[in-house]
């Protein structure tokens, strides 16, 4: 593969500084820019100087080139349209000439665009979110028009090349600036930048290439999702205009609160009330959990505010094995109304325990309201 003479192309010496190389390229680029001078030979020259600049302006590539390698020669012909992957052609153009007015890339833009994403809310109860479910969802969406298969043109017709921009999708304008004459481009106002005009739009879709419809999809909702979880269904959104690819459909999970169990992550919390006597003497409670009736062992001497865990009785962990726990908070009920006999019995108990006039002692380990407040201020 013949090695190009990049120094010769830019007309600089082999020991030229980065600044000299930049100056030489700018001078040539102004002369040879395709918008200023569109004939094919000049365009070819322009590509050559741009390629030379691409190599010589990058110290790494220049060093490689000086050692005998040509970064562009491997791709299949130096100079011959070697604008391969990774070649920041438009970057260089933008750096010198400013981005083309609003148009972005060169050439006509495609009518096909990606469809929008859609989000639908799915309300679940705790059992469904915690253990997974399957739902049939009705979605209003757009599908590709079968009459024109997305092209937007009536059957048997094709879009015509725009006569204002000759299919380029953009129109150019010469302005004067400190660099001299500069060409700026903007999207063609006649065809909207598409480079073509649909003279006979498809009747079915009015030229959009897609039609609105309602479809039913069956989705599996994994166990362990919670309020606010988003599930992405790739490609299930609406199809794009002009036969473009579909967007994604997102399911936003809304979890209805449960009347007994409060969910925190994978754990469930609930509160049971037990009479003072049961807390003191101990008992077996039968309580309803998501797994059916469970026997709960209340030890003698259970305190109000104590938590009894039932391990593995929470909800399924999302995308993991195992389940959270069910944490049962105990609330000891103090009898509010006593008949005479009960009152006598309790008084007798208090006397036996020496609790007729208990001291106002602080509970061990429990912080007072003020010390908690102080810690909050000190960031503890
Ligand atoms: Zn159509
Ligand atoms: Zn046009």
């Amino acid at each position: 593969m013949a090695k190009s003479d990049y120094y010769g192309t830019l007309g600089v010496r082999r020991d030229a500084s980065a600044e000299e190389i930049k100056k030489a390229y700018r001078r040539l680029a102004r002369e040879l820019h395709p918008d200023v001078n569109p004939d094919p030979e000049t365009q070819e020259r322009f590509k050559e100087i741009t390629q030379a600049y691409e190599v010589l302006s990058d110290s790494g590539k220049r060093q490689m080139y000086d050692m005998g390698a040509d970064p562009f020669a491997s791709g299949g012909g130096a100079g011959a349209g070697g604008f391969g992957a990774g070649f920041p052609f438009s970057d260089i153009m933008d750096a010198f000439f400013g981005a083309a007015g609003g148009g972005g890339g060169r050439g006509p833009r495609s009518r096909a665009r990606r469809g929008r994403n859609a989000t639908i809310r799915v309300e679940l109860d705790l059992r469904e979110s915690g253990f997974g479910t399957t739902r049939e969802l009705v979605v209003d969406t757009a599908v590709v028009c079968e009459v024109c298969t997305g092209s937007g043109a009536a059957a048997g017709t094709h879009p015509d090349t725009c006569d204002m921009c000759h299919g380029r999708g953009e129109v150019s304008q010469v302005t004067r600036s400190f660099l001299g004459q500069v060409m700026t481009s903007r999207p063609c106002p006649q065809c909207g930048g598409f480079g073509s005009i649909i003279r006979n739009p498809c009747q079915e879709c009015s030229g959009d290439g897609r039609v609105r419809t309602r479809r039913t999809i069956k989705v599996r909702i994994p166990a362990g999702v919670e309020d606010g979880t988003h599930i992405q269904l790739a490609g299930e959104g609406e199809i794009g205009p002009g036969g473009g690819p579909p967007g994604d459909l997102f399911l936003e999970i809304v979890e209805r609160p449960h009347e007994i169990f409060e969910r925190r992550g994978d754990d469930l919390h609930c509160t049971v009330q037990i009479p003072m006597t049961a807390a003191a003497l101990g008992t077996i409670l039968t309580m309803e959990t998501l797994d059916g009736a469970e026997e709960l062992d209340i030890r003698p001497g259970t305190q109000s505010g104590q938590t009894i865990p039932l391990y593995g009785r929470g909800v399924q962990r999302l995308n993991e094995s195992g389940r959270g726990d069910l944490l049962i908070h105990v609330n000891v009920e103090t009898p509010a109304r006593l008949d005479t006999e009960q009152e006598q019995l309790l008084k007798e108990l208090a006397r036996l325990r020496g609790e007729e006039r208990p001291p106002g002692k602080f509970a061990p380990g429990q912080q007072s309201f003020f010390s908690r407040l102080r810690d909050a201020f000190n960031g503890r």
Side-chain angles (χ1 to χ4, degrees):
M1 190 64 61
K3 190 176 134 186
S4 310
D5 178 11
Y6 292 144
Y7 291 102
T9 303
L10 289 182
V12 293
R13 294 192 321 272
R14 288 188 73 85
D15 59 356
S17 70
E19 194 51 44
E20 287 175 298
I21 288 168
K22 192 170 174 177
K23 262 194 193 147
Y25 174 66
R26 282 194 181 204
R27 183 177 48 77
L28 289 165
R30 250 175 276 144
E31 241 174 71
L32 302 169
H33 191 280
D35 279 341
V36 180
N37 210 334
D39 77 84
E41 218 178 279
T42 313
Q43 286 194 35
E44 198 49 49
R45 273 277 289 144
F46 181 72
K47 281 184 189 175
E48 281 170 27
I49 61 149
T50 303
Q51 197 170 53
Y53 180 66
E54 162 71 4
V55 173
L56 298 185
S57 63
D58 180 311
S59 60
K61 286 183 185 155
R62 184 179 178 182
Q63 207 175 10
M64 259 175 71
Y65 175 74
D66 288 343
M67 291 189 303
D70 184 347
F72 284 105
S74 56
F83 292 89
F87 189 77
F89 176 67
S90 57
D91 290 0
I92 293 173
M93 297 318 301
D94 289 351
F96 286 147
F97 301 101
R106 312 206 146 235
R109 63 193 179 99
S110 167
R111 276 178 209 281
R113 271 174 295 135
R114 188 175 177 274
R116 281 178 307 184
N117 295 339
T119 303
I120 49 176
R121 287 156 64 93
V122 181
E123 267 197 33
L124 301 175
D125 63 31
L126 178 61
R127 203 174 279 277
E128 293 173 310
S129 61
F131 301 104
T133 186
T134 309
R135 274 288 174 92
E136 281 201 347
L137 300 169
V138 179
V139 275
D140 284 311
T141 188
V143 294
V144 73
C145 171
E146 285 180 4
V147 176
C148 62
T149 60
S151 75
T157 71
H158 291 282
D160 291 341
T161 302
C162 172
D163 54 15
M164 190 168 180
C165 63
H166 307 288
R168 290 177 60 221
E170 54 183 22
V171 286
S172 304
Q173 197 180 6
V174 182
T175 49
R176 303 197 69 79
S177 82
F178 70 96
L179 283 172
Q181 279 198 340
V182 169
M183 213 66 175
T184 52
S185 307
R186 63 193 168 93
C188 172
Q190 182 168 289
C191 61
F194 295 126
S196 62
I197 291 169
I198 297 175
R199 302 233 185 258
N200 301 298
C202 167
Q203 301 247 315
E204 183 70 18
C205 63
S206 313
D208 191 35
R210 54 189 183 157
V211 286
R212 298 218 69 86
T213 188
R214 176 168 282 202
R215 81 198 161 91
T216 306
I217 54 168
K218 201 170 181 178
V219 292
R220 205 186 66 76
I221 293 163
V225 296
E226 61 187 320
D227 203 64
T229 302
H230 281 81
I231 300 172
Q232 183 179 17
L233 302 172
E236 295 285 356
E238 62 171 33
I239 206 94
D248 299 335
L249 179 65
F250 289 88
L251 306 185
E252 189 191 332
I253 302 298
V254 179
E255 191 179 84
R256 282 193 292 265
H258 192 272
E259 54 180 349
I260 293 167
F261 300 110
E262 188 196 323
R263 179 171 172 186
R264 291 181 217 159
D266 305 319
D267 295 336
L268 295 174
H269 294 253
C270 67
T271 304
V272 291
Q273 304 228 72
I274 55 170
M276 183 185 74
T277 48
L281 301 169
T283 187
I284 303 281
L285 282 187
T286 303
M287 58 173 293
E288 206 54 47
T289 70
L290 291 179
D291 299 272
E294 296 257 350
E295 295 209 319
L296 190 65
D297 187 13
I298 305 284
R299 300 277 170 81
T302 293
Q303 305 295 317
S304 198
Q306 207 168 313
T307 304
I308 304 171
L310 284 180
Y311 296 112
R313 291 284 185 265
V315 301
Q316 183 70 46
R317 298 189 203 283
L318 182 64
N319 301 327
E320 271 180 63
S321 60
R323 290 171 59 179
D325 305 324
L326 172 59
L327 298 156
I328 299 153
H329 303 269
V330 177
N331 204 352
V332 176
E333 259 181 318
T334 307
R337 226 167 270 167
L338 302 170
D339 62 24
T340 323
E341 192 188 352
Q342 290 166 354
E343 196 184 332
Q344 281 309 317
L345 277 169
L346 276 181
K347 276 189 173 160
E348 180 63 11
L349 180 64
R351 195 187 56 79
L352 284 172
R353 290 178 60 84
E355 291 169 353
E356 291 147 300
R357 261 195 81 94
K361 67 171 184 189
F362 293 112
Q366 292 208 339
Q367 290 177 305
S368 71
F369 171 74
F370 288 107
S371 65
R372 267 183 283 137
L373 199 66
R374 191 192 57 217
D375 287 353
F377 271 113
N378 296 335
R380 263 183 267 168

